[in-house]
Each structure stands twice: as C-alpha cells, then as structure tokens.
Amino acid sequence: METKNYHMTPEQFRIEGKKVIDWIADYYENIEKYPVLSQVKPGEIQASLPLSAPQTGEPFARMMQDIDSKILPGITHWQSPNFYAYFPSNTSFPSILGDLISSGLGVQGMIWATSPVATELETRVLDWLADMMGMPEKFKSTSTGGGVIQDTASTSALTAVIAARERATGFRSNEKGIEKKLTAYISTQTHSSIEKAIKIAGIGRDNLRLIDVDEKFSMRPEQLKKQIQEDKAAGFTPFFICAAIGTTSSNAIDPIAKIGEIAQNENCWLHIDAAMSGTAMLCPEYRHYIKGVELADSYCFNPHKWMFTNFDCDVFWVADREELINSFSILPEYLRNQATESGQVFDYRDWHVQLGRRFRSLKLWFVIRHYGVEGLQFHIRKHIALAQKFTAWVNHSDDFEIFAEPPFNLVCFRHKTGDDFNMQLMNMVNETGKAYFTHTKLNGQVVLRMSIGQTHTEEKHVKATWDLIKKMAKKL
Ligand code: PLP
C-alpha cells in the first residue's frame, strides 16, 4: 500500500517543467516589451502577497499565474538587451540548463567524497579557464596553485585577506588572534568589497590605506611605495595590496607589474580584483593589461558578470594553495574520510569560508563547451566594439563628452551642461522603461555610465538608447 505524501511526482514534474522551460524561452523572446527598470513603488509587491502561508498545497498552475501577475512587475530586467546599468550580469541558455541540472542533482560538494565529480570538474574547468586567459602556470592545479569557484568577488576578497593575514602572522592569528599591527592598501577607486573584507577579517578600517590615483583613475605606485615606507617607520606591518583590472566606477586599470614589484619587495600579498572586466582576458589583445600577473598571490574574476554564466559564479585562483588551505582547513571527526586522509584529493571546503557548496562548475562547463573559446571571444569583442561605437557617437556630438576613454565595455560620459542636468536626464531616460543606465561621481562630477555587456545587446539597441538620450536632453 502506498504511503501518503505531498510530493510532486516525476510525471507532474515532467509536465510542469516543460512548461517552465517554455515560459523562460517566451520571457527572453518578449523581454523588450517590459520596462527595463521595475516601476513598482516600495511595499507594492508585499501588499499583493498574502500575509500567511497556505495551509493546503496549491496547484502549480496558480503559482505560474502569480509569476506573471505578481513577480514580473517587480523585476528589473537585467537580461534585457537595453540594460546598461551598474555592470553586466549576463546569462545564457546553456548556463541556465547547467544550473538546472545542478539543481536536479542536488549534490552538496563540500568535500571530494560527497560527490567526487563536483570537485574534479571544477578543478579541470578552472585549469581550462586559466589557459584560456593566459594566466601563468602557477595558478593551475597542476602546479602549486589552483582555482575554486566562490559565490562572489566579495567572498574572494575576504578569502584573500584572511590567507594574507595568516601568512603575515606565520599562520598563528587563527589561533592566537592578531598580534601584529597589519596594514592593507587599495586605491581610492577600489571596490567597497575589499574594505568590507578588511573590516570582517579583523584588520580594522583604520588600518586600510586608500592610495591616490592618476588622471586615468589608476593607482599611483609611487604613492603606494611611500605610504608603505611611512607605515613601516610607524611600526606597522604592511601585509595586503589589492589592484584592480577594471574598477566599478570607471573601469580603471591599476599598473599590475609595478604594484607587483612593490608587493614582492615588501612581502605583501597581492590580490587582483578583475571581477568586472577580467573576462576581456579571453582575448589575447587585452592581456597586456595583466602584465606582471605572475607577481600576484590571488586573482578573481566574475563569469557571473560578463561571461554568460548565471549568478553566482566567481573564479578565484591562488598561486600557492597550501597557504590557502593552511588558513581555512578544519577537520571535525564527522568529516574524516579515507580520500581526505590519503592527501590525493582537494576538499574545497578548505578553500573558502563556508562548508557547503553547490555544483557550480556544471553551468560554467556548459557555457565554455557551448560557445567554445572562439564564441566567447566573439561576443566579448562585440561588446567592446559597441562601446567604441557609442564613444564615437558621443565624441561627435556637440552637447556630450567622454569622461574617460573606455578600455573595455563601460562608457563614462556626460552632458556638458552640468551635474543636475545629467541626473535629470538619466532619470528621464530610465523612467521611459526603454533603457536603464546609472551614474557615478569622478573627480567630484556626475558621470553617466553605459555598461554594454548583456547577452542579447546588439547595435540597434545601443543606437536606439543613444537616440533616446539625445532626444530627452533636447526636451530638458
Ligand atoms: N569588484 C569589482 C571591481 C566589482 O565591480 C564588483 C561588483 O560590482 C565586485 C568586486 C563585487 O562583486 P560581487 O557581487 O561578486 O561580490
């Protein structure tokens, strides 16, 4: 006799699952019909939801109706080809399918033994990627280093800061607390996640030095050197430097080779944050920007930003995995197993903060295999070419100006009239729902940002958005 249960049967799953795939395909086909920026007011979505959970289960069809009526209005359509805000967070059908299979398998890959393939596929795919991006051998698992998928670049930053802290204190501060006065170095343009990591890792915000930048918003190495000398003279131990390949605000690139030399001489851990723009290294013509990367201790970039891979997926490479493992390893009795004890396997829970981990390499593997290196290069080059086109249009206009020449796919520009005008213009364009872009402040001035990197963005979209911006500027 069958025991009672409330589960969805495989047959129901098959039927509803196919409808969900159709729904997603329809969504992409119709995405341009929705306002890019969600138009709801704060609290509006909550007001449409019941105050308490249903006592009895509901039919799946009713949930799908609510997806259309309650969920979609609250979506800001990141996958729209007219999404140019913040940074790309693009995805692709192979990635969605890889993620679905990962959900279907539902494995927990915390250690090798809990699903060997979740570890071994990740190791191999990140070695592939290291080769695809021209990374030095030392970052590969076949050498002293290796890669691990973190949820975000923020977690990579925290992981790097902790490993750096441990190395600087002889791997003692995990046990004894921090006995040295450690100082860390970033530029005034570095992403806030590094400051957050410094706070969380117990270094203290007061011990983080913000180094001045040049006219291209890149860190000034001579200022870095000077600050380190001053700190040493004052009894501090400099231990960590972060350099960026593509800052969030303006896509600035720090001089890696010069900073790397200082890091080596001063015995500091060098972390490279290439979260936003690192994907460009798939194309050999941009690799001059990472000249000196062999001097880095760790490096991260986000396939979940600009490599057609669903959030979350940040790639974190280290040059010496032992330093990382010595900082994060902990082995309670209930996780002891033969494979770990044999020393022949990686247990990725020793490579980051959390224990549990999803099978994220599957979606990355699908993306790389679907596009091939050639396909990925093609689309990255296309985005950069679109950014160059947009730059040319701005340069040819009498009313707008380029603020900083874009190295990759982020165009920083402004209307010549002034800050208030630019803010009003941006809000007006965004309120039309036809495009969505955001602003920053550089040298105290409001600057508009067009981040061109969504999967389905074509020249016609960028051109229509430029025309819309000009039209709105005339109306203001
Ligand atoms: N670093 C840079 C340069 C970024 O642009 C971002 C996101 O905008 C981050 C770090 C943080 O990324 P994540 O959301 O993966 O933590």
Side-chain angles (χ1 to χ4, degrees):
M1 201 178 75
E2 249 182 55
T3 52
K4 175 173 173 167
N5 75 58
Y6 291 81
H7 302 308
M8 184 183 265
T9 63
E11 193 45 34
Q12 284 171 318
F13 177 72
R14 198 170 276 124
I15 294 166
E16 302 302 349
K18 284 174 184 162
K19 287 190 207 153
V20 168
I21 295 285
D22 278 343
W23 187 93
I24 295 173
D26 289 347
Y27 172 67
Y28 276 84
E29 275 177 356
N30 294 310
I31 199 162
E32 288 182 57
K33 292 187 187 146
Y34 303 108
V36 186
L37 176 65
S38 170
Q39 315 269 306
V40 299
K41 302 275 172 295
E44 207 177 311
I45 304 285
Q46 290 244 28
S48 75
L49 298 171
L51 284 174
S52 51
Q55 184 59 27
T56 51
E58 299 181 52
F60 195 77
R62 206 179 304 156
M63 296 174 216
M64 289 308 288
Q65 277 164 14
D66 285 350
I67 291 285
D68 289 326
S69 62
K70 298 190 193 322
I71 301 301
L72 273 184
I75 293 287
T76 287
H77 298 274
W78 282 74
Q79 301 313 319
S80 165
N82 292 312
F83 183 97
Y84 309 102
Y86 310 107
F87 42 78
S89 183
N90 61 27
T91 181
S92 64
F93 294 126
S95 168
I96 295 169
L97 294 175
D99 214 19
L100 184 61
I101 295 178
S102 167
S103 294
L105 291 171
V107 303
Q108 222 289 16
M110 57 191 175
I111 54 179
W112 181 89
T114 59
S115 257
V117 69
T119 297
E120 294 196 14
L121 183 71
E122 184 161 329
T123 307
R124 179 54 53 87
V125 167
L126 298 198
D127 279 352
W128 278 5
L129 259 177
D131 286 340
M132 286 161 65
M133 307 196 115
M135 292 291 285
E137 280 297 308
K138 70 175 187 175
F139 290 103
K140 290 173 63 179
S141 72
T142 43
S143 176
T144 52
V148 58
I149 299 178
Q150 307 274 1
D151 53 4
T152 59
S154 305
T155 302
S156 282
L158 178 61
T159 310
V161 169
I162 290 172
R165 182 194 75 193
E166 288 309 299
R167 185 172 82 182
T169 56
F171 298 89
R172 277 170 57 88
S173 48
N174 267 342
E175 304 291 334
K176 305 281 176 200
I178 307 172
E179 291 166 335
K180 286 184 176 173
K181 285 162 63 185
L182 300 174
T183 43
Y185 305 81
I186 60 177
S187 89
T188 54
Q189 300 294 309
T190 306
H191 192 263
S192 56
S193 54
I194 313 291
E195 178 180 337
K196 199 169 181 179
I198 291 293
K199 287 181 177 178
I200 299 170
I203 307 303
R205 171 64 188 79
D206 287 354
N207 300 317
L208 176 66
R209 309 286 187 249
L210 304 194
I211 306 299
D212 199 11
V213 292
D214 63 16
E215 64 294 342
K216 288 183 158 172
F217 304 100
S218 311
M219 189 192 281
R220 290 180 186 274
E222 68 287 355
Q223 291 292 328
L224 171 67
K225 203 166 170 179
K226 186 164 163 270
Q227 183 65 54
I228 289 179
Q229 298 315 326
E230 282 174 19
D231 286 332
K232 279 165 58 180
F236 290 100
T237 304
F239 85 111
F240 178 86
I241 303 169
C242 177
I245 302 290
T247 57
T248 319
S249 205
S250 68
N251 244 199
I253 299 160
D254 291 329
I256 302 296
K258 286 187 182 154
I259 294 173
E261 209 175 292
I262 297 170
Q264 290 254 303
N265 291 340
E266 302 297 346
N267 213 6
C268 286
W269 183 289
L270 174 60
H271 175 62
I272 297 182
D273 177 9
M276 175 135 159
S277 308
T279 311
M281 302 311 136
L282 286 170
C283 307
E285 64 270 30
Y286 296 109
R287 291 193 196 144
H288 59 94
Y289 287 125
I290 56 164
K291 196 160 168 278
V293 65
E294 66 282 357
L295 301 172
D297 295 285
S298 55
Y299 183 108
C300 80
F301 89 102
N302 282 357
H304 71 217
K305 280 193 164 63
W306 194 23
M307 214 180 94
F308 314 108
T309 308
N310 286 60
F311 191 86
D312 51 0
C313 186
D314 165 88
V315 168
F316 179 66
W317 282 298
V318 283
D320 182 348
R321 59 179 173 267
E322 285 309 312
E323 290 176 341
L324 189 63
I325 293 168
N326 286 342
S327 307
F328 285 91
S329 181
I330 190 157
L331 186 59
E333 187 55 38
Y334 52 83
L335 289 181
R336 284 189 183 278
N337 67 87
Q338 270 183 356
T340 296
E341 253 133 69
S342 75
Q344 289 178 320
V345 301
F346 290 164
D347 288 325
Y348 274 134
R349 55 109 210 240
D350 292 338
W351 294 50
H352 48 49
V353 174
Q354 82 278 14
L355 171 64
R357 59 200 326 272
R358 301 186 67 224
F359 191 0
R360 282 178 295 219
S361 56
L362 207 49
K363 61 188 173 192
L364 199 49
W365 191 49
F366 272 25
V367 167
I368 296 171
R369 291 183 64 185
H370 170 85
Y371 286 93
V373 176
E374 180 187 283
L376 291 170
Q377 288 173 336
F378 173 86
H379 287 287
I380 294 306
R381 286 182 179 131
K382 190 163 156 181
H383 287 151
I384 296 175
L386 287 176
Q388 284 164 356
K389 274 218 163 117
F390 189 89
T391 304
W393 297 332
V394 174
N395 276 331
H396 279 112
S397 95
D398 293 333
D399 303 330
F400 290 85
E401 62 193 354
I402 286 290
F403 202 80
E405 282 299 318
F408 306 118
N409 60 334
L410 173 72
V411 187
C412 292
F413 69 109
R414 54 185 265 123
H415 195 279
K416 291 177 184 166
T417 306
D419 285 359
D420 290 346
F421 187 94
N422 276 288
M423 287 307 288
Q424 281 180 43
L425 173 61
M426 181 185 81
N427 292 333
M428 264 175 89
V429 171
N430 291 343
E431 275 162 22
T432 66
K434 292 189 175 141
Y436 178 35
F437 66 119
T438 48
H439 78 287
T440 187
K441 267 198 171 172
L442 293 168
N443 293 340
Q445 282 186 305
V446 168
V447 173
L448 305 176
R449 298 165 74 262
M450 276 286 284
S451 168
I452 303 172
Q454 286 309 128
T455 308
H456 303 289
T457 301
E458 298 289 339
E459 183 171 338
K460 64 176 183 185
H461 300 108
V462 182
K463 180 71 174 56
T465 302
W466 172 234
D467 290 343
L468 181 65
I469 292 171
K470 285 188 298 181
K471 190 171 139 198
M472 289 297 164
K474 289 247 151 28
K475 271 197 183 172
L476 250 177

